[in-house]
Amino acid sequence: MRNKSIYASISVLPMLLISCYHEVDMDSYRDEDGENLLTLNSLVTPDSTVQVMATRTYFFSDIHNDRTYVKGLDIDIIVNSEKKEGMTYDTERNLYISDVKVGPGDEVGLHTTFMDKTITASDIMPHSVSIEDVTVSRQGPVSIYTNSDFVFTYRVTFTDPIGDGDYYFLQWDAVDPRKDIMMGERDFTHELVFQQLANQVHATLPGWEPYSPYGLPFSDKGIDGERYTLTVKEIVQMPKGSFQWNLTQMKRRFRLHAISKAYYDYLVSALMNRTNDKGLQGGMIDLGIADPVKVYSNISGGVGILGCYTTAESEIDALKIVGPFPKQ
């Protein structure tokens, strides 16, 4: 086997005008356990049957263009300690599928063997939490990115169940991208629950601010048992002459996912594993100075995630509430 190596370049002080190069033999880090590690991923919701993707791990320096699916596994589903039917493999979707559904409050488990090793996982389906109200206000035009930016402030109300340990994921999107005012930049920065998330992420990525082009997880820390209103914003750019001035609707669909603790831990660890953040730690990871962060896994004997979630939705048309944009 041809020896493989990587090269790490670390810039020294600019006044020295030199760089140090260090050759690292990565093949010495290969081992049989790593090459025979099974990855199981399954996100379970009451609205669909249990499905599982099984793949093999690969050494990070190897050329890897596609997943290596593992077929021929005997995967059992256990719901509330009762063994259900085995799963079958769908060759078109490369998924193990079943007819089993899991309800709120149920414990779901997976059991299989791979390379003479037992692989197990379990999680509990959370109860759904309703979105009780969504309101919106508008500010603008203001100068944030252009001279024609508008800030929409959304207030999403729900009631957190009494008792610590509830976890969520908030996202919102345009309902019909062909008819709606285009999605702007989501702003989670000033909301308490996302500042709590930032404090957690700061342990690994100092300086990280709550941001995502999709949505973010949060816990009930500081709001346990309360009827609470999340306050988030969307920055919409409306440059003069844009076709968007001719659109008459701005429908937004809000989704509040109640997620299991395992799924929350996985999502937070994925945030911590980002290396393109502006925080000091992110830059150090890019240079190879600090240890990379491991993504959370609840698969015993393998890696991956078995996560559960339920979803509540609410839809509004922001322009019907705040009125049309002011004329140019």
Side-chain angles (χ1 to χ4, degrees):
M1 179 182 297
R2 184 173 65 88
N3 184 52
K4 296 182 180 178
S5 60
I6 64 171
Y7 294 84
S9 174
I10 305 176
S11 297
V12 191
L13 294 175
M15 66 181 67
L16 298 179
L17 299 177
I18 61 172
S19 294
C20 297
Y21 294 89
H22 180 58
E23 183 173 342
V24 182
D25 180 8
M26 296 307 300
D27 275 343
S28 62
Y29 290 91
R30 294 180 187 270
D31 58 50
E32 185 176 348
D33 289 340
E35 292 180 352
N36 294 329
L37 201 59
L38 179 68
T39 302
L40 292 182
N41 285 309
S42 179
L43 297 180
V44 185
T45 174
D47 298 327
S48 61
T49 57
V50 178
Q51 302 178 5
V52 177
M53 177 181 289
T55 58
R56 298 191 68 155
T57 57
Y58 64 94
F59 198 63
F60 76 95
S61 64
D62 287 344
I63 296 175
H64 187 77
N65 296 321
D66 201 359
R67 295 186 178 96
T68 302
Y69 297 102
V70 178
K71 306 175 183 179
L73 296 176
D74 293 322
I75 302 179
D76 293 323
I77 303 174
I78 299 97
V79 179
N80 297 327
S81 302
E82 180 183 350
K83 181 179 177 180
K84 300 295 183 179
E85 66 183 55
M87 307 189 78
T88 58
Y89 193 78
D90 185 326
T91 56
E92 291 186 359
R93 295 187 293 166
N94 291 306
L95 290 173
Y96 288 88
I97 61 175
S98 72
D99 293 327
V100 177
K101 288 190 174 183
V102 181
D106 288 343
E107 181 179 13
V108 57
L110 301 175
H111 180 281
T112 190
T113 57
F114 178 70
M115 304 291 288
D116 298 323
K117 181 183 292 186
T118 299
I119 316 294
T120 61
S122 65
D123 200 14
I124 296 176
M125 182 69 69
H127 291 271
S128 179
V129 174
S130 299
I131 297 177
E132 300 170 16
D133 189 33
V134 179
T135 63
V136 60
S137 60
R138 181 181 62 204
Q139 177 188 6
V142 295
S143 297
I144 300 177
Y145 300 109
T146 71
N147 291 325
S148 300
D149 299 332
F150 292 85
V151 179
F152 289 80
T153 301
Y154 302 103
R155 295 173 176 84
V156 182
T157 301
F158 72 103
T159 299
D160 177 72
I162 297 176
D164 291 336
D166 295 304
Y167 304 90
Y168 305 94
F169 188 95
L170 177 70
Q171 69 179 114
W172 73 97
D173 303 279
V175 174
D176 188 343
R178 299 168 299 178
K179 299 179 181 179
D180 291 318
I181 300 293
M182 291 190 301
M183 276 298 305
E185 178 182 330
R186 299 164 180 81
D187 183 357
F188 302 87
T189 307
H190 304 290
E191 168 53 48
L192 167 67
V193 299
F194 298 117
Q195 285 299 324
Q196 296 279 20
L197 172 66
N199 291 337
Q200 185 175 354
V201 175
H202 286 168
T204 300
L205 293 174
W208 182 83
E209 292 292 336
Y211 170 77
S212 170
Y214 308 106
L216 285 174
F218 65 96
S219 73
D220 66 352
K221 182 178 180 180
I223 63 169
D224 176 45
E226 296 182 11
R227 185 174 187 265
Y228 188 76
T229 298
L230 300 165
T231 301
V232 290
K233 299 182 179 183
E234 180 183 344
I235 303 170
V236 177
Q237 298 182 42
M238 295 287 291
K240 293 183 178 181
S242 168
F243 73 94
Q244 292 209 103
W245 287 96
N246 298 322
L247 299 178
T248 59
Q249 73 179 41
M250 186 177 163
K251 290 185 178 180
R252 297 294 187 257
R253 180 178 293 120
F254 286 80
R255 291 185 175 93
L256 181 63
H257 305 282
I259 62 179
S260 64
K261 184 179 187 304
Y263 197 12
Y264 173 81
D265 289 340
Y266 172 82
L267 291 170
V268 172
S269 68
L271 284 173
M272 291 180 174
N273 206 30
R274 291 179 178 174
T275 59
N276 59 350
D277 290 84
K278 295 181 179 180
L280 174 63
Q281 185 77 359
M284 292 177 69
I285 292 174
D286 286 339
L287 291 174
I289 299 174
D291 293 331
V293 181
K294 294 181 179 179
V295 175
Y296 173 86
S297 171
N298 64 345
I299 308 296
S300 177
V303 294
I305 181 69
L306 170 62
C308 295
Y309 69 96
T310 59
T311 303
E313 292 187 356
S314 183
E315 184 179 308
I316 64 169
D317 187 337
L319 291 189
K320 282 189 176 181
I321 298 173
V322 302
F325 286 99
K327 294 183 178 180
Q328 300 184 68

